[in-house]
């Protein structure tokens, strides 16, 4: 019997958060969630999670949702016997800084996590799983890292928008990837030293428009873009997958996580989504990580890191025949990855500009104000305008405020481009 690993869970009501809770509840001897945080759009679920997990603290990013969360907590507490002393109300934090505050939560009963080997870890205190969507996840990531916490990172934007800031404070081994592709790379990299890595190969399902030409994508509808063939994800991530922007952001993340330059990071289309990524070594060997598409495996692997979690997900069934296909990415129909590499090579705040411009363009597409091809075209135009319109684009961000300024400029630039296109 080993000590439980304590976890602070950010974005608890989202897809990553709810699956992480399923893993925790299935492994009570391994994990205990001490604090949770969410935006506040689903107060019923947030309160239900707080009561079921017996957390010590709850953070609500939207202060206007605090009252609804409080009411639901009281109702759930009564159901659990609060009147007779059977439930202890958690501390409530609300507002913009709530997620950052809870990212450093120590807790009344916290003790250093212990690995299955019994060895004391390098990073004491609860592990922080950051499953927040968007660049609002950057500040909590930085706060947790500065507090010496190990961070299981599912928030792409922390590295895309604030990579230099994260690199400044992250210690070796402090960041543990949660995305299936980066988890796969981390697992494959155990097969050799970084000096022997020839290239990283990220796999992409190809989304709903695999094999389509650029001309065939001109009339794509929102409904078609949301029909992903493999993964069930939120609408923004699903559309990002359709444009290949999601893979583009993962390329930037891979560069930041593993320190491999962009010329040695490739993307290959693999429709079956069984091989999640590969590492090619200098001796000609390629190591791949394979498993059926199920986010519980990389989430469980991150929570148990550096251990493995037995039974986290079903393995490949080798008794059944299967065909796995691989094909090159069509950079003409899907230029998002090449644009992301250009932004990454430019460095500074250009990746943050890329990400923010995409978010505005996706919102415009969903609202019917921009065609599908206009999403990546808008990103391209904003990046082109950055050298003349945004003075800080080439500078290294010195603070979160610098990142927010770059994002604000990119968003307003994207909105102007969308408006100009609508009026023509």
């Amino acid at each position: 019997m080993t000590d439980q690993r304590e976890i602070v869970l950010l974005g608890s009501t989202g897809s990553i958060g709810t699956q992480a809770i399923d893993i925790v509840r299935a492994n009570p001897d391994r994990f205990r969630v001490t604090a949770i945080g969410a935006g506040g759009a689903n107060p019923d679920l947030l309160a239900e999670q707080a009561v079921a997990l017996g957390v010590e603290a709850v953070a609500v990013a939207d202060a206007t949702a605090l009252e609804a969360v409080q009411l639901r907590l009281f109702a759930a507490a009564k159901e659990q016997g609060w009147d007779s002393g059977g439930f202890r109300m958690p501390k409530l934090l609300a507002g913009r800084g709530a997620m950052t505050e809870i990212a450093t939560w120590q807790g009344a009963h916290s003790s250093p996590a212990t690995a299955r080997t019994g060895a004391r870890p390098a990073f004491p205190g609860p592990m922080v799983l950051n499953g927040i969507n968007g660049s609002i996840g950057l500040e909590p990531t930085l706060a947790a890292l500065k507090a010496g916490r190990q961070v299981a990172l599912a928030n792409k934007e922390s590295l895309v928008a604030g990579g230099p800031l994260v690199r400044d404070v992250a210690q070796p081994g402090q960041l543990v990837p949660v995305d299936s592709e980066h988890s796969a790379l981390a697992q494959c990299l155990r097969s050799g030293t970084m000096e022997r890595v020839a290239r990283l190969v990220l796999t992409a399902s190809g989304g709903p428009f695999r094999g389509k030409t650029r001309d065939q994508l001109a009339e794509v509808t929102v409904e078609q873009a949301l029909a992903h063939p493999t993964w069930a994800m939120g609408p923004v991530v699903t559309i990002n997958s359709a444009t290949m922007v999601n893979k583009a952001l993962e390329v930037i993340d891979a560069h930041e996580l593993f320190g491999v330059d962009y010329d040695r990071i490739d993307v290959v289309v693999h429709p079956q989504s069984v091989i999640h990524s590969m590492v090619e070594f200098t001796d000609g060997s390629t190591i791949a990580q394979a498993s059926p598409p199920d986010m519980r495996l990389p989430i469980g692997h991150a929570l148990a890191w550096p251990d493995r979690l037995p039974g986290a997900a079903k393995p490949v069934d080798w008794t059944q025949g299967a065909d796995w296909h691989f094909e090159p990415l069509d950079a003409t129909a899907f230029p998002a990855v090449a644009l992301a590499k250009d932004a990454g090579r430019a460095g500074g705040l250009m990746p943050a500009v890329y990400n923010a411009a995409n978010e505005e363009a996706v919102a415009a597409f969903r609202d019917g104000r921009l065609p599908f091809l206009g999403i990546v075209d808008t990103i391209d135009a904003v990046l082109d305008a950055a050298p003349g319109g945004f003075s800080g684009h080439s500078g290294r961000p010195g603070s979160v405020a610098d990142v927010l300024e770059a994002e604000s400029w990119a968003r307003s630039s994207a909105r102007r481009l969308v408006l100009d296109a609508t009026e023509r």
Side-chain angles (χ1 to χ4, degrees):
M1 181 69 179
T2 62
D3 292 344
Q4 293 173 311
R5 169 165 288 177
E6 295 181 341
I7 298 162
V8 171
L9 178 55
L10 309 180
S12 65
T13 59
S15 175
I16 295 293
T18 54
Q19 291 181 86
I21 289 173
D22 288 342
I23 291 169
V24 168
R25 298 185 72 177
N27 297 273
D29 63 320
R30 298 289 301 268
F31 310 114
R32 180 170 77 90
V33 177
T34 59
I36 58 175
N42 195 340
D44 287 355
L45 179 56
L46 185 59
E48 178 187 318
Q49 291 174 338
V51 173
L53 296 167
V55 299
E56 300 166 9
V58 176
V60 187
D62 182 359
T64 64
L66 178 61
E67 184 177 356
V69 173
Q70 285 178 314
L71 291 173
R72 286 304 305 142
L73 273 171
F74 279 117
K78 282 189 176 182
E79 295 172 5
Q80 295 295 318
W82 179 67
D83 287 340
S84 60
F87 178 78
R88 181 176 180 178
M89 284 291 290
K91 180 178 180 179
L92 295 176
L93 309 171
R96 177 174 175 174
M99 291 291 202
T100 300
E101 185 176 351
I102 210 162
T104 60
W105 180 259
Q106 181 61 39
H109 307 291
S110 292
S111 58
T114 303
R116 298 295 284 188
T117 59
R120 191 179 182 86
F123 307 105
M127 169 182 270
V128 177
L129 171 55
N130 188 348
I132 299 172
N133 288 321
S135 55
I136 59 171
L138 173 57
E139 284 190 282
T141 294
L142 291 173
L145 292 172
K146 290 175 182 176
R149 303 294 167 78
Q150 193 167 45
V151 177
L153 191 61
N155 175 253
K156 285 187 178 71
E157 292 79 6
S158 287
L159 290 172
V160 171
L165 300 177
V166 173
R167 285 200 307 271
D168 283 346
V169 297
Q171 302 173 49
Q174 197 174 6
L175 283 174
V176 180
V178 174
D179 271 357
S180 59
E181 294 81 2
H182 303 105
S183 175
L185 291 173
Q187 294 176 61
C188 294
L189 284 168
R190 293 186 179 189
S191 296
T193 63
M194 291 303 300
E195 292 76 16
R196 298 292 181 264
V197 172
R199 64 185 58 251
L200 307 181
V201 182
L202 285 83
T203 56
S205 70
F209 307 127
R210 178 176 63 88
K212 301 290 186 184
T213 65
R214 182 173 173 85
D215 288 343
Q216 290 173 323
L217 297 174
E219 304 300 325
V220 162
T221 66
V222 175
E223 291 72 21
Q224 290 171 332
L226 288 173
H228 197 281
T230 307
W231 297 96
M233 304 174 290
V236 174
V237 177
T238 303
I239 292 172
N240 284 349
S241 179
T243 60
M244 295 297 292
V245 165
N246 200 47
K247 201 57 51 179
L249 298 178
E250 288 172 6
V251 167
I252 297 174
D253 266 0
H255 167 78
E256 296 290 345
L257 277 167
F258 305 113
V260 175
D261 60 62
Y262 287 103
D263 292 338
R264 295 192 294 130
I265 303 176
D266 294 335
V267 172
V268 64
V269 176
H270 169 51
Q272 292 76 28
S273 298
V274 178
I275 300 291
H276 297 288
S277 277
M278 300 173 275
V279 175
E280 177 188 315
F281 289 92
T282 53
D283 64 353
S285 295
T286 297
I287 306 298
Q289 187 267 323
S291 60
D294 186 340
M295 278 303 297
R296 289 175 299 176
L297 191 148
I299 294 171
H301 192 55
L303 294 180
W305 185 269
D307 201 357
R308 290 190 177 273
L309 185 64
K314 292 182 179 179
V316 174
D317 184 355
W318 298 105
T319 67
Q320 302 297 315
D323 293 318
W324 296 350
H325 301 281
F326 300 90
E327 52 195 70
L329 174 66
D330 183 347
T332 301
F334 301 98
V337 171
L339 281 176
K341 286 187 175 184
D342 288 343
R345 290 187 188 102
L349 289 159
M350 289 296 270
V353 169
Y354 181 108
N355 181 63
N358 174 68
E359 290 182 355
E360 286 295 327
V362 168
F365 170 66
R366 293 178 66 191
D367 292 343
R369 295 179 287 117
L370 191 69
F372 180 76
L373 290 176
I375 297 173
V376 179
D377 287 348
T378 298
I379 299 171
D380 193 6
V382 172
L383 289 172
D384 278 347
F390 177 58
S391 60
H393 78 280
S394 61
R396 198 175 192 276
S399 67
V400 174
D402 291 341
V403 174
L404 297 178
E405 180 190 353
E407 290 186 333
S408 177
W409 178 88
R411 292 181 195 283
S412 62
S413 297
R415 285 194 292 268
R416 282 196 303 272
L417 288 167
V418 171
L419 182 60
D420 289 347
T422 304
E423 291 177 345
R424 282 200 296 268

